[in-house]
Amino acid sequence: MSNITSTTPASSPTGPPTPNYPDPVGGASFIVAWRAKSQTIVVVGGGPIAAGRVFNSLEADAHVIVVSPALCPELQYRHQKSQITWYPRKFDAQKDLQEIPNISLVLTAIDDPEASREIVAECRSRRIPVNAADMNDLCDFWFMSMHRDRSVQIAVSTNAKAPKLANRIRRIVAGSLPKNTGVAVDKIGALRKRIRQSDPDPKSSKRRMVWLSQLCEYWPIEELAKLGQNDYDELLDAYLNNTDPTKVAVGSNAPDTDSKDNNKDNSIGINPSASSSTSTLLHQPQQLQPGSPPSPSTANGDIFRKEQRKPTGSITLVGAGLGDPDLLTIKAKKAIETADYIISDKLVPSPILNLVPPSTELYIARKFPGMANAAQQDIIAKAISQLEKGKRVVRLKQGDPFVYGRGGEEVIEFSKHGYQAEVVPGLSSAFSGPALCGIPVTHRGVADQVLVLSGSNKEGQLPNIPPFLATRTLVILMSVKRLEPLVDMLLLNHPDGRGEGGKTYPGDLPVAMVERAGCSDQRTVRATLETIVEVVKRVGSNPPGLIVIGYAVNVLVKASRPSSPQQTDTAAAAAVEQKDSLEGSENSGGAMTPFMIEDKYQQASLGAFYPTESATTSSRT
């Protein structure tokens, strides 16, 4: 017969059942949220650690006294701003603890263990809690890894066992919080205060608590953060009328501007348990019941009035990556498939655009030379127009929005109109383009740094490229049409690659032109700095593309191709030998120019030509 452990409370033959309570597990800290407002906190030390202690104390509205012969720049700033009181001398434990009145806490942040021990001993003799930085055995309490979002504070403690791991845990917890959690908490706090003002009877305490608990448990945090003044008034009416908060539908008199079906009824009741992407719509303010207090004061009401109410559309900048749908992030694909309106760059390839649902309106931005600024203004205007209708707008950008994509400019423009843009990163051709073509932009022993540039700056000028460094890889975006002036600038018009003003780029430096990376017609043209212009003139180009310059260009080619900085293009040189053998050595008109062309699958065609002839290629795998 098996043994079975019962959870039923044990009973005594002569008395009631014995209660079954959990046994405490020791080793924890007693964690509280201490109200330090106007309390005196003394910080001993003037360095960066002390500055951190001071900042935390100031955020808790404490009165902070810093005792130290000198202050770090941050503490100097706070002293100049009258945020702290500074005693410019060493801390005298006996004297200062006696003369400074009403000390609540002492925090030491000095690099002197003996002085710290003396301060701790004096504090304990006076029953003043003390923390000594980096001396856990002397601390009455520890600082925790903290996340703050307005009124929300989340602290993680490992009880001094793994402080760095506490930081990681805190980041994980904070990252899992819904967007605008702090805003939601502040709004519920203001609503709670308003309800208490409307119904101050102590006997209503339990009713208030139960009603607000239902509201907080039922409504998504994202929706609570969207509450505006009108929603606030309606929720107060619901409480006064004893209406279940889970039955409240705000925005019941507002038009459904987010609906794709224009034939739907223009009234909508928002279900608060719907997904966070549902926007809360508002109705006109209703009169409160007689005897209810007026709207909150400015101090408590600003939190709602700031949204009076901005249209509820959303804008997302989505990186379309390199053109292959398989290389899109999951979040980018979801954003494309759920958008109401999409504004796409004209360079976004058709395989990506094919993901746009037929029911979604798609606008292709037309940016042409000399018209880019006007086109950009048109993009912003179209997006704002749709946002004001409550649409979910996606701004689809080639590559990554923040890598030469004007994404930052667009975030700023949308912010000026009251919309906070979400950014979904995409693979940038700056790194992924070369990778798809077998070019690592860094490689141990060959290239330890990479510099990403644009082929032209805002005024259309050439980029400012630093002097040559053998271990640096240059990646120049938007450069195919400016290849010749770029190369000319690197060589400084000197055939031997030498120039004044610093070390310049050698003519035999490997170069690759990467075209349409990630697309079915991807192509890579390999040559050298002194030959790439002529090679491209002969084989043509197919933008968009980028240029990769440096010894890393040829580091991964097979043994029959360039394999080191010293061996610039032996495989292409094989095509030279093949051509010489076909035509005879008497036809060789001087030095030939070798090159290599690769397709998406890195199948190579080796080529060469005399300066006065057409190119000759031979396929090599």
Side-chain angles (χ1 to χ4, degrees):
M1 184 175 183
S2 61
N3 294 326
I4 300 177
T5 301
S6 174
T7 58
T8 304
S11 58
S12 169
T14 59
T18 302
N20 186 14
Y21 298 117
D23 292 327
V25 179
S29 297
F30 187 75
I31 297 177
V32 297
W34 180 46
R35 300 180 65 184
K37 184 175 182 178
S38 300
Q39 301 289 322
T40 298
I41 297 178
V42 175
V43 178
V44 182
I49 295 178
R53 302 288 196 254
V54 167
F55 181 78
N56 289 336
S57 302
L58 292 174
E59 287 219 311
D61 300 316
H63 169 54
V64 181
I65 297 174
V66 177
V67 183
S68 176
L71 299 179
C72 67
E74 179 180 343
L75 291 180
Q76 291 177 18
Y77 168 84
R78 301 204 182 284
H79 179 247
Q80 293 168 0
K81 294 290 184 179
S82 300
Q83 296 176 0
I84 62 174
T85 300
W86 178 33
Y87 294 170
R89 53 177 171 75
K90 285 189 175 183
F91 186 79
D92 186 324
Q94 291 185 351
K95 179 181 179 181
D96 287 331
L97 291 177
Q98 180 177 349
E99 294 183 356
I100 299 176
N102 302 320
I103 299 176
S104 297
L105 282 180
V106 172
L107 312 174
T108 74
I110 55 177
D111 191 17
D112 187 341
E114 291 305 318
S116 293
R117 292 182 186 280
E118 180 184 349
I119 294 170
V120 169
E122 285 294 329
C123 286
R124 287 179 175 167
S125 69
R126 301 169 189 273
R127 304 179 66 85
I128 299 174
V130 60
N131 174 277
D134 296 326
M135 302 182 74
N136 293 333
D137 58 321
L138 299 182
C139 295
D140 293 325
F141 57 91
W142 295 307
F143 282 90
M144 295 187 286
S145 181
M146 191 181 74
H147 165 78
R148 183 182 181 192
D149 177 9
R150 300 169 73 110
S151 296
V152 176
Q153 288 180 272
I154 298 175
V156 176
S157 173
T158 58
N159 289 295
K161 288 183 170 59
K164 294 299 182 182
L165 188 56
N167 291 336
R168 180 180 176 185
I169 295 170
R170 181 254 304 161
R171 290 194 298 268
I172 293 173
V173 173
S176 67
L177 295 176
K179 187 176 181 180
N180 294 326
T181 297
V183 175
V185 169
D186 285 348
K187 290 188 175 182
I188 289 299
L191 176 62
R192 179 169 174 260
K193 182 176 181 179
R194 180 72 179 279
I195 288 175
R196 182 178 295 168
Q197 291 173 343
S198 301
D199 185 13
D201 190 343
K203 295 180 180 179
S204 300
S205 175
K206 184 175 181 180
R207 177 184 169 227
R208 290 195 303 267
M209 181 177 65
V210 171
W211 193 90
L212 284 168
S213 295
Q214 288 180 312
L215 177 69
C216 293
E217 290 291 336
Y218 186 75
W219 282 67
I221 291 177
E222 299 92 334
E223 293 301 319
L224 293 175
K226 295 177 183 177
L227 292 176
Q229 181 66 53
N230 296 335
D231 307 284
Y232 175 77
D233 292 340
E234 182 159 331
L235 286 169
L236 179 59
D237 282 345
Y239 169 79
L240 295 174
N241 293 325
N242 205 24
T243 302
D244 186 341
T246 65
K247 306 299 182 182
V248 178
V250 299
S252 56
N253 296 328
D256 181 12
T257 59
D258 194 49
S259 172
K260 289 187 179 182
D261 185 357
N262 293 329
N263 295 323
K264 288 184 178 180
D265 185 9
N266 280 340
S267 63
I268 181 172
I270 299 295
N271 182 353
S273 63
S275 66
S276 61
S277 61
T278 304
S279 298
T280 305
L281 304 177
L282 299 178
H283 58 76
Q284 295 299 317
Q286 295 181 352
Q287 296 294 324
L288 298 178
Q289 288 193 352
S292 297
S295 297
S297 65
T298 301
N300 295 324
D302 279 350
I303 195 170
F304 298 99
R305 292 197 185 97
K306 287 179 181 176
E307 299 190 25
Q308 282 289 330
R309 159 98 133 171
K310 204 66 181 173
T312 55
S314 65
I315 177 67
T316 306
L317 274 60
V318 175
L322 302 176
D324 185 347
D326 290 340
L327 297 178
L328 276 177
T329 65
I330 295 174
K331 190 169 186 178
K333 187 172 183 290
K334 181 179 178 181
I336 293 171
E337 293 174 342
T338 59
D340 298 315
Y341 189 85
I342 294 178
I343 303 175
S344 172
D345 285 345
K346 68 184 181 70
L347 292 179
V348 174
S350 57
I352 301 293
L353 297 180
N354 289 340
L355 298 175
V356 178
S359 60
T360 301
E361 187 173 354
L362 173 65
Y363 175 77
I364 307 295
R366 301 296 180 185
K367 286 189 179 181
F368 298 100
M371 299 289 291
N373 289 335
Q376 188 69 17
Q377 294 174 3
D378 180 60
I379 288 171
I380 298 298
K382 279 184 165 52
I384 295 299
S385 174
Q386 297 299 319
L387 290 169
E388 290 176 347
K389 298 176 183 178
K391 301 292 186 180
R392 293 184 296 269
V393 180
V394 162
R395 177 71 176 95
L396 192 59
K397 306 180 75 64
Q398 179 73 334
D400 184 275
F402 281 4
V403 181
Y404 294 115
R406 300 186 73 165
E409 297 176 33
E410 294 185 9
V411 168
I412 292 173
E413 284 300 316
F414 290 127
S415 177
K416 290 178 180 177
H417 290 82
Y419 298 96
Q420 183 179 356
E422 180 180 7
V423 179
V424 179
L427 291 179
S428 171
S429 61
F431 299 104
S432 301
L436 289 174
C437 301
I439 301 174
V441 293
T442 62
H443 189 87
R444 190 169 61 170
V446 178
D448 58 13
Q449 56 184 268
V450 57
L451 177 61
V452 179
L453 302 155
S454 170
S456 61
N457 62 21
K458 186 178 180 181
E459 287 74 31
Q461 298 172 335
L462 293 175
N464 183 11
I465 302 178
F468 173 69
L469 180 65
T471 57
R472 179 192 295 134
T473 302
L474 296 182
V475 179
I476 310 179
L477 307 180
M478 299 175 285
S479 56
V480 173
K481 292 184 177 180
R482 311 200 75 188
L483 178 62
E484 187 167 357
L486 282 168
V487 169
D488 191 50
M489 179 179 66
L490 293 174
L491 295 176
L492 294 179
N493 289 310
H494 285 262
D496 59 359
R498 295 196 306 272
E500 299 178 357
K503 193 174 182 181
T504 57
Y505 291 71
D508 62 353
L509 189 65
V511 176
M513 182 174 72
V514 177
E515 300 175 335
R516 300 183 64 78
C519 299
S520 59
D521 56 348
Q522 169 184 307
R523 187 178 74 160
T524 307
V525 179
R526 297 176 188 261
T528 64
L529 190 60
E530 63 185 357
T531 63
I532 185 65
V533 172
E534 185 67 19
V535 169
V536 172
K537 285 181 179 179
R538 291 173 177 270
V539 303
S541 63
N542 186 22
L546 57 87
I547 305 298
V548 187
I549 303 172
Y551 290 120
V553 166
N554 289 336
V555 78
L556 291 187
V557 291
K558 298 179 181 178
S560 60
R561 305 182 195 171
S563 58
S564 71
Q566 293 75 29
Q567 189 180 5
T568 57
D569 211 334
T570 56
V576 176
E577 297 174 3
Q578 182 184 40
K579 187 174 189 295
D580 282 341
S581 64
L582 292 175
E583 298 181 355
S585 60
E586 67 275 13
N587 293 330
S588 59
M592 296 185 68
T593 299
F595 63 91
M596 180 190 301
I597 298 177
E598 294 172 333
D599 63 12
K600 181 177 182 180
Y601 306 101
Q602 296 185 27
Q603 300 297 308
S605 296
L606 309 179
F609 58 86
Y610 290 109
T612 58
E613 296 179 352
S614 299
T616 298
T617 61
S618 62
S619 297
R620 293 278 296 272
T621 301

